[in-house]
Amino acid sequence: MLDVSSQSAVSGQEPTRSGMVYNLLTIGVLVLLLAVGTAYLIDMLGRGDQVRTPTLGDTENVTQTISGKDLAIPTSWFRFGEQIRSGFTDQIDLKLGFAPEAGAPPAWVNVTLLPRSRARASASLLDRVYLHQFANENLSGVPGLVGKPMNGTVGYAGETVWYDALSPNPFVAKCQQPVTPDAGAQCVRTVHLASGIAAVYTFDARLLEHWRQFDDQMALWLRPIGAW
């Protein structure tokens, strides 16, 4: 004799299992859609945070005060996003263009603005430090500049100073040979601006051939914001 209660129990389990499968599939689809949506949102936010290419025509500014000077700086010029805020500061890190040839794409110079008391000018270091650490040989390759390797025995291995020997306020840059073969030599030049701010320039050594235009190129960027 057929047990009616057993049949009812079996028939009652089937829709329950079907419902569980349906719910699991639904949850799986929702999780997949949520993951896709999250990935899309992260991608959009990442694109929004990408650093824009600096141009001289940029006008979206923040005002920062350094060494008693108020500078109105376009936000796209900053190297580090966390520095984009108004107020007092003791260091500003910028990325500025160097285009000595009309129509040529700019090379980029990293510029750090500091209070003058925190950075010694390269021209001052030439007389007080570098001249006493030069090796005997001279280097050629940059028209108008004298190249002197530094004495490697006193911690200057791989460094060369390039300077204009004919000027009372010479162009001076110290360059470091690359650590890896595929990298380019980098140079550092520090100047004291008339505003009372020091500017530390870091740039590719290949720009040395345009050294006569260097300060004029930097003035194009620093004068409008009040730093020059």
Side-chain angles (χ1 to χ4, degrees), residues 106-212:
W108 298 104
V109 177
N110 290 335
V111 181
T112 298
L113 302 179
L114 300 165
R116 181 178 291 196
S117 60
R118 289 183 53 193
R120 296 178 66 180
S122 296
S124 172
L125 290 172
L126 176 66
D127 293 329
R128 300 181 182 183
V129 178
Y130 297 155
L131 283 175
H132 306 289
Q133 306 298 341
F134 284 158
N136 293 327
E137 59 188 302
N138 290 336
L139 300 179
S140 59
V142 182
L145 294 182
V146 175
K148 295 289 291 185
M150 302 290 284
N151 191 338
T153 62
V154 290
Y156 292 103
E159 297 186 3
T160 300
V161 173
W162 294 91
Y163 65 98
D164 173 17
L166 302 179
S167 174
N169 184 29
F171 176 97
V172 181
K174 185 174 71 167
C175 302
Q176 174 71 52
Q177 290 301 312
V179 178
T180 58
D182 57 340
Q186 293 290 303
C187 300
V188 176
R189 166 171 163 77
T190 302
V191 299
H192 287 170
L193 306 174
S195 62
I197 297 171
V200 181
Y201 305 120
T202 305
F203 55 94
D204 192 293
R206 289 173 293 185
L207 296 181
L208 282 175
E209 63 180 294
H210 305 291
W211 66 272
R212 290 184 176 88

Side-chain angles (χ1 to χ4, degrees), residues 20 23 42 58 62 72 79 85 224:
M20 290 177 62
N23 289 339
I42 292 173
D58 294 334
V62 296
R79 294 212 314 273
R85 63 184 186 278

